[in-house]
Amino acid sequence: MSLSLTEELWTAIEPVYAEILAHPFLAGLTDGTLPREAFRHFVVQDSHYLRDYARALAVCAAKAPGEEEVRAFADDAIGALAAEQGMHAEFLDAFGDTAEQAAAEPVLPTTRAYTSYLLATVYGGSFAEAVGAVLPCYWIYARVGERLLAEGSPDPLYAKWISTYGDEAFQSVVRRVLALTDRLGEEISPAERRRVVEHFVTTSRYEWMFWDAAWRRETWPV
């Protein structure tokens, strides 16, 4: 029996996901040793990222073939903006910063590269390709959140972040997108399926790079 599309996708990124779980940024979240400045870097860049991710989800909604998918991706786009405005504002407040101050900080190299690839793919590709490109941000965060939730964190700030992605409300959203992905996998051509896998693997790599950039407190080199 052939693999479902989601099975094929996850198999393709198993080495990437293993590197994500092993990254010191995530280990630092669960044992509470992550430097606050690294977490602040992540929050600021994630605020920039989520604004463009919301645009990508809105494009998915525009390209969706059915009303149910249009409504779901539009709702998710609104949810991404709400997370940026609400959850991140709470985290920034813990650092004595405001959302306005964070928005004024530069979009750094990894964030710029990730969002540029994401937007180019969703605008230029098919609906299935667009779903493949946005899927890692759903699925990897759900898997990481689930894993980290079981471990917890002694730091209340980090525990708050973990609970956001580990809770059932987010997990149910991800299950809905995965079910859609498998339906698409039954309809698309082999060539389109290969492109979906390629986009999924690429943006999964960007997920690792995003955490790594925060760990390194990446800046523009020149």
Side-chain angles (χ1 to χ4, degrees):
M1 182 181 294
S2 60
L3 295 176
S4 68
L5 181 52
T6 57
E7 288 172 335
E8 182 178 352
L9 291 172
W10 195 261
T11 299
I13 67 151
E14 281 181 343
V16 177
Y17 184 64
E19 291 295 330
I20 287 171
L21 290 182
H23 200 282
F25 185 97
L26 295 185
L29 283 173
T30 54
D31 66 17
T33 62
L34 180 69
R36 283 299 174 95
E37 191 53 37
F39 188 67
R40 183 188 180 281
H41 185 292
F42 172 86
V43 170
V44 170
Q45 291 306 304
D46 201 39
S47 295
H48 292 312
Y49 169 84
L50 282 175
R51 284 191 286 275
D52 278 339
Y53 188 66
R55 291 184 177 93
L57 294 175
V59 176
C60 288
K63 291 191 170 189
E67 289 183 11
E68 183 180 345
E69 292 84 6
V70 171
R71 187 162 44 248
F73 279 113
D75 286 345
D76 291 350
I78 293 168
L81 290 174
E84 187 266 322
Q85 293 170 350
M87 179 178 69
H88 285 176
E90 191 175 331
F91 290 140
L92 290 167
D93 185 62
F95 295 114
D97 297 322
T98 65
E100 291 74 22
Q101 288 171 316
E105 295 191 24
V107 179
L108 294 174
T110 297
T111 310
R112 181 71 73 190
Y114 189 175
T115 58
S116 295
Y117 180 87
L118 190 63
L119 291 170
T121 301
V122 298
Y123 276 108
S126 66
F127 175 60
E129 288 177 75
V131 172
V134 301
L135 182 57
C137 193
Y138 285 99
W139 200 0
I140 290 175
Y141 269 72
R143 293 288 292 268
V144 166
E146 196 173 41
R147 173 74 172 262
L148 270 56
L149 191 63
E151 298 180 25
S153 176
D155 187 306
L157 196 65
Y158 300 161
K160 168 83 173 173
W161 183 89
I162 290 169
S163 68
T164 301
Y165 295 102
D167 75 357
E168 177 55 28
F170 183 69
Q171 298 290 332
S172 66
V173 168
V174 175
R175 287 194 294 271
R176 182 251 299 160
V177 181
L178 292 174
L180 167 63
T181 302
D182 276 336
R183 291 198 301 274
L184 291 172
E186 296 171 358
E187 302 166 0
I188 58 179
S189 69
E192 188 174 7
R193 187 173 176 125
R194 285 193 296 271
R195 291 194 296 272
V196 171
V197 174
E198 179 184 355
H199 296 315
F200 180 77
V201 171
T202 299
T203 51
S204 295
R205 286 171 168 156
Y206 274 125
E207 288 293 336
W208 181 92
M209 291 170 65
F210 200 88
W211 277 307
D212 188 64
W215 176 253
R216 293 183 290 105
R217 278 154 271 182
E218 176 186 66
T219 61
W220 285 101
V222 292

